[in-house]
Short mmCIF file of all heavy atoms in Angstrom, two decimals:
data_model
loop_
_atom_site.label_atom_id
_atom_site.label_comp_id
_atom_site.label_asym_id
_atom_site.label_seq_id
_atom_site.Cartn_x
_atom_site.Cartn_y
_atom_site.Cartn_z
N GLU C 236 11.50 5.33 -25.52
CA GLU C 236 11.79 4.26 -24.51
C GLU C 236 13.34 4.36 -24.24
O GLU C 236 14.12 4.57 -25.08
CB GLU C 236 11.42 2.90 -24.99
CG GLU C 236 11.64 1.89 -23.83
CD GLU C 236 10.47 0.94 -23.72
OE1 GLU C 236 9.37 1.67 -23.53
OE2 GLU C 236 10.65 -0.16 -23.67
N GLY C 237 13.67 4.18 -22.88
CA GLY C 237 14.99 4.29 -22.63
C GLY C 237 15.54 5.65 -22.15
O GLY C 237 16.57 5.71 -21.55
N LYS C 238 14.83 6.71 -22.57
CA LYS C 238 15.36 8.05 -22.14
C LYS C 238 14.60 8.46 -20.92
O LYS C 238 13.30 8.44 -20.84
CB LYS C 238 14.76 8.95 -23.31
CG LYS C 238 15.22 10.33 -23.10
CD LYS C 238 14.95 11.32 -24.25
CE LYS C 238 15.49 12.63 -23.80
NZ LYS C 238 14.93 13.73 -24.83
N SER C 239 15.47 8.87 -19.99
CA SER C 239 14.87 9.14 -18.65
C SER C 239 14.44 10.76 -18.75
O SER C 239 15.03 11.56 -19.38
CB SER C 239 15.95 9.07 -17.64
OG SER C 239 16.26 7.77 -17.48
N GLU C 240 13.42 11.11 -18.09
CA GLU C 240 13.02 12.53 -17.91
C GLU C 240 13.47 13.07 -16.56
O GLU C 240 13.68 12.27 -15.63
CB GLU C 240 11.38 12.53 -17.94
CG GLU C 240 10.83 12.08 -19.30
CD GLU C 240 9.27 12.10 -19.30
OE1 GLU C 240 8.84 12.85 -18.36
OE2 GLU C 240 8.76 11.43 -20.02
N PHE C 241 13.46 14.28 -16.46
CA PHE C 241 13.81 14.92 -15.18
C PHE C 241 12.56 15.34 -14.51
O PHE C 241 11.54 15.53 -15.06
CB PHE C 241 14.62 16.26 -15.40
CG PHE C 241 16.02 16.04 -15.83
CD1 PHE C 241 16.32 15.90 -17.14
CD2 PHE C 241 17.03 15.95 -14.86
CE1 PHE C 241 17.70 15.78 -17.51
CE2 PHE C 241 18.23 15.67 -15.21
CZ PHE C 241 18.66 15.66 -16.59
N ILE C 242 12.83 15.19 -13.09
CA ILE C 242 11.50 15.52 -12.07
C ILE C 242 11.43 17.09 -12.13
O ILE C 242 12.47 17.66 -11.79
CB ILE C 242 11.80 14.94 -10.76
CG1 ILE C 242 11.82 13.37 -10.80
CG2 ILE C 242 10.67 15.39 -9.85
CD1 ILE C 242 12.29 12.79 -9.49
N LYS C 243 10.35 17.57 -12.42
CA LYS C 243 10.14 18.99 -12.35
C LYS C 243 9.67 19.31 -10.87
O LYS C 243 10.04 20.24 -10.30
CB LYS C 243 9.12 19.38 -13.32
CG LYS C 243 9.59 19.32 -14.63
CD LYS C 243 8.63 19.92 -15.80
CE LYS C 243 9.34 19.72 -17.13
NZ LYS C 243 8.54 19.06 -18.05
N ARG C 244 8.62 18.61 -10.51
CA ARG C 244 8.01 18.86 -9.04
C ARG C 244 7.26 17.67 -8.71
O ARG C 244 6.64 16.95 -9.44
CB ARG C 244 7.17 20.13 -9.27
CG ARG C 244 6.56 20.55 -7.97
CD ARG C 244 5.84 21.86 -8.23
NE ARG C 244 5.05 22.16 -7.17
CZ ARG C 244 3.67 21.83 -7.12
NH1 ARG C 244 2.99 21.50 -8.13
NH2 ARG C 244 2.99 22.16 -6.10
N VAL C 245 7.25 17.31 -7.37
CA VAL C 245 6.49 16.29 -6.94
C VAL C 245 5.30 17.03 -6.02
O VAL C 245 5.59 17.74 -5.14
CB VAL C 245 7.27 15.25 -5.94
CG1 VAL C 245 6.33 14.19 -5.40
CG2 VAL C 245 8.37 14.64 -6.64
N THR C 246 4.16 16.74 -6.39
CA THR C 246 3.02 17.44 -5.80
C THR C 246 2.83 17.07 -4.33
O THR C 246 3.36 16.01 -3.79
CB THR C 246 1.68 17.16 -6.49
OG1 THR C 246 1.34 15.79 -6.29
CG2 THR C 246 1.72 17.40 -7.99
N LEU C 247 2.19 17.96 -3.64
CA LEU C 247 1.92 17.71 -2.07
C LEU C 247 1.24 16.48 -1.96
O LEU C 247 1.53 15.64 -1.08
CB LEU C 247 1.31 18.90 -1.52
CG LEU C 247 1.09 18.73 -0.06
CD1 LEU C 247 2.39 18.63 0.80
CD2 LEU C 247 0.42 19.97 0.41
N ASP C 248 0.22 16.20 -2.77
CA ASP C 248 -0.58 14.90 -2.60
C ASP C 248 0.24 13.79 -2.74
O ASP C 248 0.20 12.88 -1.92
CB ASP C 248 -1.70 14.89 -3.67
CG ASP C 248 -2.75 15.97 -3.50
OD1 ASP C 248 -2.60 16.83 -2.53
OD2 ASP C 248 -3.65 15.94 -4.23
N ASN C 249 1.20 13.80 -3.77
CA ASN C 249 2.08 12.62 -4.02
C ASN C 249 3.11 12.48 -2.85
O ASN C 249 3.46 11.39 -2.41
CB ASN C 249 2.81 12.78 -5.35
CG ASN C 249 1.84 12.47 -6.46
OD1 ASN C 249 0.76 12.05 -6.32
ND2 ASN C 249 2.34 12.84 -7.65
N ARG C 250 3.66 13.59 -2.36
CA ARG C 250 4.53 13.55 -1.20
C ARG C 250 3.91 12.98 0.09
O ARG C 250 4.45 12.17 0.72
CB ARG C 250 5.08 14.94 -0.84
CG ARG C 250 6.03 15.30 -1.95
CD ARG C 250 6.75 16.65 -1.56
NE ARG C 250 5.99 17.77 -1.77
CZ ARG C 250 5.99 18.95 -1.27
NH1 ARG C 250 7.11 19.36 -0.52
NH2 ARG C 250 5.28 19.94 -1.50
N ILE C 251 2.60 13.27 0.28
CA ILE C 251 1.99 12.65 1.34
C ILE C 251 1.88 11.18 1.14
O ILE C 251 1.98 10.33 2.16
CB ILE C 251 0.52 13.37 1.65
CG1 ILE C 251 0.78 14.79 2.06
CG2 ILE C 251 -0.31 12.65 2.52
CD1 ILE C 251 -0.57 15.65 2.12
N LEU C 252 1.41 10.79 -0.04
CA LEU C 252 1.17 9.32 -0.23
C LEU C 252 2.55 8.64 -0.14
O LEU C 252 2.61 7.43 0.61
CB LEU C 252 0.66 9.06 -1.57
CG LEU C 252 -0.79 9.61 -1.96
CD1 LEU C 252 -1.18 9.36 -3.34
CD2 LEU C 252 -1.73 8.71 -1.11
N LEU C 253 3.61 9.13 -0.45
CA LEU C 253 4.84 8.45 -0.35
C LEU C 253 5.39 8.42 1.03
O LEU C 253 5.84 7.45 1.52
CB LEU C 253 6.00 9.19 -1.23
CG LEU C 253 5.86 9.10 -2.76
CD1 LEU C 253 6.76 10.00 -3.45
CD2 LEU C 253 6.02 7.66 -3.20
N LEU C 254 5.03 9.48 1.86
CA LEU C 254 5.42 9.52 3.21
C LEU C 254 4.56 8.35 3.98
O LEU C 254 5.15 7.55 4.80
CB LEU C 254 5.03 10.89 3.94
CG LEU C 254 5.12 10.97 5.44
CD1 LEU C 254 6.53 10.89 5.87
CD2 LEU C 254 4.33 12.16 5.94
N LEU C 255 3.26 8.30 3.72
CA LEU C 255 2.50 7.26 4.46
C LEU C 255 2.89 5.93 3.97
O LEU C 255 2.74 4.92 4.71
CB LEU C 255 0.97 7.56 4.04
CG LEU C 255 0.38 8.93 4.55
CD1 LEU C 255 -1.06 8.92 4.23
CD2 LEU C 255 0.63 8.99 6.14
N ARG C 256 3.25 5.84 2.69
CA ARG C 256 3.93 4.49 2.28
C ARG C 256 5.03 4.02 3.03
O ARG C 256 5.14 2.86 3.40
CB ARG C 256 4.18 4.60 0.66
CG ARG C 256 4.88 3.33 0.12
CD ARG C 256 5.20 3.58 -1.38
NE ARG C 256 5.66 2.47 -2.02
CZ ARG C 256 6.96 2.40 -2.37
NH1 ARG C 256 7.78 3.26 -1.89
NH2 ARG C 256 7.33 1.25 -2.94
N SER C 257 5.91 4.88 3.56
CA SER C 257 6.90 4.56 4.32
C SER C 257 6.72 4.18 5.72
O SER C 257 7.47 3.71 6.41
CB SER C 257 8.07 5.60 4.36
OG SER C 257 7.56 6.74 4.92
N HIS C 258 5.40 4.48 6.13
CA HIS C 258 4.93 4.14 7.48
C HIS C 258 3.71 3.09 7.49
O HIS C 258 2.82 3.19 8.28
CB HIS C 258 4.42 5.51 8.18
CG HIS C 258 5.72 6.31 8.49
ND1 HIS C 258 6.36 6.18 9.76
CD2 HIS C 258 6.17 7.28 7.81
CE1 HIS C 258 7.23 7.14 9.68
NE2 HIS C 258 7.30 7.78 8.56
N ILE C 259 3.66 2.32 6.44
CA ILE C 259 2.42 1.52 6.18
C ILE C 259 2.31 0.48 7.40
O ILE C 259 1.22 0.22 7.78
CB ILE C 259 2.60 0.77 4.84
CG1 ILE C 259 1.20 0.00 4.55
CG2 ILE C 259 3.72 -0.25 4.86
CD1 ILE C 259 0.27 0.99 4.12
N GLU C 260 3.46 0.10 8.00
CA GLU C 260 3.38 -0.87 9.02
C GLU C 260 2.94 -0.24 10.48
O GLU C 260 2.56 -0.99 11.30
CB GLU C 260 4.70 -1.57 9.35
CG GLU C 260 5.86 -0.76 9.90
CD GLU C 260 6.48 0.31 8.84
OE1 GLU C 260 6.22 0.20 7.71
OE2 GLU C 260 7.22 1.19 9.37
N ASP C 261 2.93 0.99 10.53
CA ASP C 261 2.47 1.79 11.78
C ASP C 261 1.02 1.70 12.05
O ASP C 261 0.62 2.10 13.16
CB ASP C 261 2.88 3.22 11.60
CG ASP C 261 4.49 3.27 11.77
OD1 ASP C 261 5.18 2.32 11.73
OD2 ASP C 261 4.97 4.43 11.58
N GLN C 262 0.24 1.31 11.04
CA GLN C 262 -1.28 1.42 11.31
C GLN C 262 -1.89 0.68 12.38
O GLN C 262 -2.93 0.94 12.92
CB GLN C 262 -2.09 1.30 10.02
CG GLN C 262 -1.80 0.03 9.26
CD GLN C 262 -2.34 0.09 7.88
OE1 GLN C 262 -3.09 1.07 7.42
NE2 GLN C 262 -2.12 -1.01 7.02
N ASP C 263 -1.07 -0.37 12.70
CA ASP C 263 -1.53 -1.30 13.85
C ASP C 263 -0.93 -0.93 15.20
O ASP C 263 -1.29 -1.70 16.24
CB ASP C 263 -1.33 -2.84 13.54
CG ASP C 263 -2.05 -3.20 12.25
OD1 ASP C 263 -3.21 -2.68 12.15
OD2 ASP C 263 -1.59 -3.96 11.45
N LEU C 264 -0.05 0.01 15.18
CA LEU C 264 0.56 0.35 16.52
C LEU C 264 -0.41 1.20 17.37
O LEU C 264 -1.21 1.98 16.84
CB LEU C 264 1.85 1.16 16.20
CG LEU C 264 3.06 0.50 15.42
CD1 LEU C 264 4.19 1.36 15.15
CD2 LEU C 264 3.41 -0.78 16.25
#
């Protein structure tokens, strides 16, 4: 606990989810 890890790689699936998360309000446009 308290020790941070380094990011090795963010998968494409996760990048897509994070992208869509930033556009969550757009679904009703």
Side-chain angles (χ1 to χ4, degrees):
E236 189 128 309
K238 184 178 178 189
S239 296
E240 296 178 20
F241 284 93
I242 296 173
K243 292 182 179 127
R244 186 171 162 261
V245 180
T246 66
L247 181 58
D248 292 4
N249 289 351
R250 287 188 279 167
I251 290 171
L252 290 174
L253 291 171
L254 170 73
L255 296 179
R256 179 179 179 255
S257 67
H258 290 273
I259 194 71
E260 70 283 349
D261 294 357
Q262 55 193 350
D263 294 326
L264 297 176

